[in-house]
Amino acid sequence: MRSAHLQVSIISFFIEIKLAHLICNIKSTFVILDGMPKVTRVINVGKIKMGGESPIVIQSMTNTPTKDIRATVAQIKALESVGCELVRVAVPCLDSAKAISEIKKQINIPIEADIHFDYKLAVESIRHGADKIRINPGTLGGLDKIKHVVDVAKEYKIPIRVGLNSGSVEKDILKKHGGVTAEGLTESTERSVKILEDLGFYDICISVKCSNVPMTIETNLLLAKKFDYPIHIGITESGTIRSGSIKSAVRLGTLLHHGIGDTIRVSLTGDPVEEIYYCKQILSALDLRKFGVEVISCPTCARTEVDLIPIANEVEKQCAGINKHIKVAVMGCAVNGPGEASQSDIGIACGRGQGVLFKNGKVLKTVSENKMVDELMKEINKMAGGR
Ligand code: SF4
C-alpha cells in the first residue's frame, strides 16, 4: 500500500518536473547565447590538440624535483591514471631540462616545461623533448635570446605558452594605467605576443594570472576579444584543497561559462592528483565534458525517511572506476526525488524505508532500503557494459 502511494506521488510529480526541465533548458540556451563563446585556433601539444572545438584539456603540474626522474615519473603516472592530459614540470636548472628526455620515455601524456628567466633552459628543454614550453618573453633577457628560443621551437614544432602574471607587467604600462589593471595586463600580453608574432611564430597559447578574482576574469574576457590563440586558465595562489577548490571553481567556472578557456588547471596546495578531480568536476558541472559516473544526491531534510547519506556515498565510491558517463540520482523523498531520478540515467526516489528505482526515465521497481546500493549498482554496471 505504501509502495502504491509512493508510485502515485511520483507519477504526478513526474509530469510537473518534465515541464519545469523544459523551461530550464530554454533558459540555459539563452545564457549560452548571451555569453561569448569563441573558437580559438588549434595548436598541437604532443599528441593532443588544444583550442578550436577540441575538448578542454585538463592539466596539472608536478611538485617533485624534475631532475629526480623516478619521483617525477611516479607522480606523472599517478596523474595520468586519474585523467590528467598534459603535465607541466618546472625547469629551474640544466639537470631538470636534461631529465625531460628520460621522463618522456616513461610517460604517456605530453609534457610542458616551465621556464623562468634563463633562455638556455628553454632551449635545452625543447631539445630534450618538451612538447610545449611556458615562458614570459619579457623576462628572458632580450630579443636575441627570445629569437633563439623561438627558432628552436620552430625547428622542433612545439608551441609556446606566453605566461604572464600581475607581477610581470612592464613599468611603463603600470604607469600608464595607474597600477595593475585588466587593461594593463592585456596590453602587456599584447606586447609579449607581438614579439613572437614579429618573429613569425604563431603556435601560441596565452595565460594571464593574478590573485584578484574580478581582475583575472576581466583580463581573460579582454584577451578573448583580442586574440584567437588558445587560452590557459588557472589561478595563482589558490590555496589549500578546501579553499582553493572553491576559488578555482568560481573563477574558472565563470570564464568557462563565457566560452573562455581551452585548457585548465586547478592549482592547489596539496597532491597534484587531487587537482584532476576538481578540473573534472568543474567541466562536468558546466556540461563541457563528461567523465565517468556523476552521482547527484539531495542534501536530505526532515522529509528523508531512509539513511540516505551512506547510500549516496557508497554508490559514489563503488562507481569510482567506471569510465562510461552515467548520471545517477540518489534522492531522499517524493518531493524532488522523482524529477531528478527520472531525468537521470538511473535514479532512486526514496520514501519510508524504501525507494522507487528509475532507469531511462521509467519506473523499474520498488526496492527496500537495505537493497538500494546493490540494486543501483546492478543497473549502473549493466548500463556501463557489465563491469
Ligand atoms: Fe528533502 Fe526530498 Fe529535497 Fe531530499 S529531495 S532534501 S528529502 S525535499
Side-chain angles (χ1 to χ4, degrees):
M1 186 60 196
R2 201 185 289 148
S3 155
H5 175 72
L6 182 61
Q7 291 207 19
V8 168
S9 314
I10 281 166
I11 287 158
S12 57
F13 273 102
F14 187 46
I15 296 163
E16 266 183 48
I17 300 293
K18 279 266 181 205
L19 281 170
H21 262 262
L22 184 64
I23 292 162
C24 275
N25 285 339
I26 292 166
K27 275 189 190 151
S28 63
T29 306
F30 285 139
V31 170
I32 290 161
L33 292 176
D34 227 20
M36 41 180 295
K38 176 144 185 142
V39 179
T40 48
R41 68 171 74 192
V42 178
I43 58 170
N44 294 307
V45 186
K47 63 185 177 185
I48 61 168
K49 294 203 177 296
M50 185 183 288
E53 302 290 345
S54 318
I56 295 162
V57 177
I58 294 171
Q59 62 169 286
S60 182
M61 186 171 184
T62 53
N63 60 9
T64 53
T66 305
K67 63 185 177 184
D68 182 343
I69 295 170
R70 212 165 132 194
T72 303
V73 167
Q75 194 169 67
I76 296 174
K77 282 189 167 295
L79 285 164
E80 275 180 20
S81 72
V82 293
C84 180
E85 295 161 327
L86 168 64
V87 67
R88 184 156 49 114
V89 297
V91 179
C93 60
L94 196 55
D95 283 345
S96 297
K98 287 179 178 167
I100 291 174
S101 47
E102 188 50 43
I103 292 168
K104 268 203 72 172
K105 284 183 201 156
Q106 301 180 47
I107 63 170
N108 299 300
I109 54 175
I111 192 165
E112 175 176 333
D114 190 272
I115 318 291
H116 280 280
F117 308 122
D118 189 344
Y119 82 102
K120 289 193 237 74
L121 296 178
V123 168
E124 286 308 312
S125 296
I126 300 170
R127 292 206 166 118
H128 284 87
D131 297 293
K132 183 173 177 236
I133 57 164
R134 179 265 179 195
I135 56 167
N136 176 348
T139 63
L140 282 189
L143 192 58
D144 53 335
K145 290 171 180 156
I146 300 170
K147 184 176 181 314
H148 194 50
V149 173
V150 167
D151 286 346
V152 181
K154 279 186 193 168
E155 182 189 342
Y156 284 77
K157 296 188 172 49
I158 67 142
I160 295 177
R161 163 148 74 104
V162 173
L164 309 184
N165 58 52
S166 48
S168 64
V169 180
E170 296 84 344
K171 284 195 182 104
D172 61 312
I173 295 178
L174 287 175
K175 198 172 166 197
K176 177 179 166 189
H177 294 278
V180 178
T181 61
E183 290 76 15
L185 282 161
T186 307
E187 192 174 331
S188 177
T189 309
E190 282 181 287
R191 197 176 279 185
S192 290
V193 168
K194 190 166 181 313
I195 295 172
L196 300 191
E197 289 177 338
D198 286 348
L199 292 167
F201 193 86
Y202 304 95
D203 278 342
I204 297 169
C205 171
I206 296 171
S207 72
V208 178
K209 298 173 187 172
C210 58
S211 50
N212 178 300
V213 184
M215 196 187 291
T216 305
I217 293 169
E218 203 187 326
T219 306
N220 279 282
L221 289 169
L222 289 171
L223 291 174
K225 281 185 186 157
K226 288 204 181 282
F227 298 108
D228 68 350
Y229 294 118
I231 295 183
H232 164 118
I233 54 171
I235 54 174
T236 50
E237 305 136 19
S238 64
T240 59
I241 290 175
R242 198 178 166 128
S243 61
S245 56
I246 294 169
K247 284 187 205 162
S248 292
V250 173
R251 293 186 210 190
L252 273 54
T254 304
L255 290 168
L256 290 165
H257 182 62
H258 283 85
I260 296 166
D262 299 279
T263 177
I264 65 168
R265 180 192 176 202
V266 169
S267 309
L268 298 172
T269 309
D271 184 345
V273 167
E274 292 282 339
E275 298 181 359
I276 306 305
Y277 170 78
Y278 292 102
C279 285
K280 288 181 169 180
Q281 288 295 318
I282 293 168
L283 293 175
S284 183
L286 288 163
D287 275 341
L288 292 168
R289 289 187 66 178
K290 294 292 173 196
F291 310 91
V293 176
E294 180 185 355
V295 178
I296 293 161
S297 53
C298 80
T300 73
C301 70
R303 294 187 192 89
T304 322
E305 293 186 282
V306 293
D307 194 4
L308 194 82
I309 297 169
I311 295 170
N313 283 330
E314 187 56 27
V315 169
E316 188 166 76
K317 192 171 139 201
Q318 291 193 28
C319 289
I322 299 174
N323 289 325
K324 184 167 179 182
H325 178 64
I326 301 171
K327 194 170 168 186
V328 177
V330 181
M331 302 298 292
C333 76
V335 173
N336 294 319
E340 271 309 334
S342 63
Q343 293 291 328
S344 302
D345 298 308
I346 295 166
I348 196 148
C350 299
R352 186 175 300 167
Q354 60 185 3
V356 173
L357 190 63
F358 286 81
K359 188 174 185 180
N360 296 325
K362 294 198 173 65
V363 173
L364 273 191
K365 58 180 164 181
T366 301
V367 295
S368 60
E369 182 173 353
N370 62 352
K371 298 245 171 63
M372 278 179 195
V373 173
D374 290 348
E375 291 292 335
L376 277 165
M377 288 313 302
K378 209 193 287 175
E379 294 305 327
I380 292 166
N381 282 323
K382 258 195 245 169
M383 198 171 267
R387 189 184 71 128

